[in-house]
Amino acid sequence: MKITAIEEYGLRCMVLLARHGNEDPLTLPEFAEKEGVSAPYAGKLLMILKRSGLVKAVRGRRGGYVLVKPPEEIKLKEIFEALGKPVFSTAHCDKYTGENEICVHSGDCTVKNIWQTFEGFIGSFLERVTLADLVSCDINPPPEPGLRVRQKA
Amino acid sequence: MKITAIEEYGLRCMVLLARHGNEDPLTLPEFAEKEGVSAPYAGKLLMILKRSGLVKAVRGRRGGYVLVKPPEEIKLKEIFEALGKPVFSTAHCDKYTGENEICVHSGDCTVKNIWQTFEGFIGSFLERVTLADLVSCDINPPPEPGLRVRQKA
DNA sequence: CTAAATCTTTACAAAAAAGTAAAGATTTTT
DNA sequence: AAAAATCTTTACTTTTTTGTAAAGATTTAG
């Protein structure tokens, strides 16, 4: 399981914006310089964030990007949803079908069940952390979560 | 964040083995047929699992693969570690350095903190589910885990 | 001992993701 | 109005991941 480049750098752009404040916009060359990436690549990232409604662009001189909402109201989950697919989506089953048109497990799938549960678990984390938490806090691992495992009938 | 093909199909191979039992080994053509992938690709997956010590191979006629331990003793976490890197590892910071030799955030990194916390959270899930749970149970989403967020001093 | 069934290794081909380049559109400043 | 700063779009190149192919090694059955 891996974090994609878009997720990594995209999240960093959001952190930069949150730190910078919304007084004046941050420009692509500024993003690029602060993260050590190229300006066109920064442009690609910000465009993705813009299309998801997390940031807005101001064109022309004195332009750049600003957050649409205050960092307190931006959940990590929204950012992840903007930057990539969730771990498990219906697309998942359509993708891993081996050489067949449709997955051999369609219907009753043990692995699908685990991914869905996993997805829910991850979601409960991403729901609880905001961009504001990220820039202003230490975040500690949560206490051991309980996990109910129920035997099949 | 995505589950890689190796993780998806590798986990399925483990499920097949757990279901099949260790009486007689499962062969590559059998894995291939049951999962709808090619036999050489199944070979690649099983080789990865073998090198991590999760399965062992029996060569020659009547050969194939068997689990090294009973499913009750195989945690999902071990399987994931065999099939891929964890979400966050030191390699992560070495990979996403933009155009620089070393990441601009090395030292104090907000994003690193979140990935490490996230990793721990995910780990607490993968520690608690065994291969046996996977083949014999319904697994339900855990209750809302508490998440302590402590303000910086 | 030989042949068949099996795993093993290495090298290669195809597909997806990451990242680059260049030309175009918009706004502000002068 | 013109120029400069900025975002926007499209197409392309590179790198990584996936998946394939083929020849080799090992064991068992007869």
Side-chain angles (χ1 to χ4, degrees):
Chain A
M1 198 166 47
K2 71 180 254 238
I3 293 160
T4 66
I6 301 281
E7 285 164 345
E8 173 71 29
Y9 292 119
L11 177 56
R12 292 193 203 173
C13 288
M14 291 296 283
V15 170
L16 284 179
L17 277 171
R19 286 232 166 87
H20 182 72
N22 264 22
E23 290 301 300
D24 66 313
L26 262 180
T27 68
L28 292 181
E30 285 171 327
F31 281 106
E33 193 249 329
K34 286 176 194 290
E35 290 300 337
V37 300
S38 72
Y41 187 51
K44 190 177 211 167
L45 297 168
L46 270 298
M47 203 48 52
I48 291 168
L49 292 167
K50 186 194 152 192
R51 294 215 177 96
S52 304
L54 288 172
V55 305
K56 67 186 171 199
V58 181
R59 278 178 146 189
R61 223 168 178 185
R62 295 276 169 91
Y65 294 89
V66 293
L67 292 176
V68 166
K69 297 189 289 189
E72 293 73 24
E73 294 176 20
I74 303 176
K75 293 173 182 168
L76 228 48
K77 191 169 189 193
E78 296 175 72
I79 301 177
F80 263 64
E81 283 169 355
L83 296 170
K85 299 255 171 60
V87 170
F88 182 84
S89 63
T90 51
H92 186 87
C93 294
D94 295 334
K95 180 169 182 188
Y96 297 117
T97 62
E99 294 163 326
N100 307 313
E101 273 300 301
I102 182 172
C103 179
V104 293
H105 301 290
S106 52
D108 182 22
C109 177
T110 298
V111 172
K112 177 161 83 180
N113 293 340
I114 196 72
W115 292 147
Q116 285 175 334
T117 302
F118 195 42
E119 179 78 34
F121 190 80
I122 288 173
S124 75
F125 179 94
L126 299 177
E127 276 285 349
R128 281 151 183 279
V129 181
T130 69
L131 188 55
D133 294 329
L134 211 57
V135 301
S136 67
C137 297
D138 283 326
I139 297 170
N140 295 313
E144 300 280 284
L147 177 61
R148 291 183 317 237
V149 175
R150 184 187 46 176
Q151 293 293 325
K152 251 187 193 152
Chain B
M1 201 167 42
K2 72 179 252 238
I3 294 160
T4 66
I6 300 281
E7 285 164 346
E8 173 71 28
Y9 291 120
L11 178 57
R12 291 194 204 172
C13 289
M14 291 296 282
V15 170
L16 284 181
L17 277 171
R19 285 231 167 88
H20 182 72
N22 264 21
E23 290 300 301
D24 68 309
L26 262 179
T27 69
L28 291 179
E30 285 172 324
F31 281 106
E33 193 249 329
K34 285 175 194 292
E35 289 301 337
V37 300
S38 72
Y41 187 51
K44 189 177 213 167
L45 297 168
L46 270 297
M47 203 49 52
I48 292 169
L49 293 167
K50 186 193 150 191
R51 294 214 176 98
S52 304
L54 288 172
V55 305
K56 67 185 169 200
V58 180
R59 279 178 144 191
R61 224 169 177 185
R62 294 279 169 86
Y65 294 89
V66 293
L67 292 176
V68 166
K69 297 189 289 188
E72 293 74 24
E73 295 176 19
I74 302 176
K75 292 173 182 167
L76 228 49
K77 191 168 189 192
E78 297 175 71
I79 300 177
F80 262 64
E81 283 169 355
L83 296 170
K85 299 255 172 60
V87 170
F88 182 84
S89 63
T90 51
H92 186 87
C93 294
D94 295 333
K95 181 169 180 187
Y96 296 117
T97 62
E99 294 164 326
N100 307 312
E101 274 299 303
I102 181 172
C103 179
V104 292
H105 301 289
S106 52
D108 182 24
C109 176
T110 299
V111 172
K112 177 160 83 180
N113 293 341
I114 196 74
W115 292 147
Q116 285 175 335
T117 303
F118 195 44
E119 180 77 36
F121 191 79
I122 288 173
S124 75
F125 179 94
L126 299 176
E127 278 283 350
R128 282 151 183 279
V129 181
T130 68
L131 187 56
D133 294 330
L134 211 57
V135 301
S136 68
C137 298
D138 283 327
I139 297 170
N140 294 313
E144 300 280 283
L147 176 62
R148 292 183 316 239
V149 175
R150 183 187 46 177
Q151 292 293 326
K152 251 189 194 151

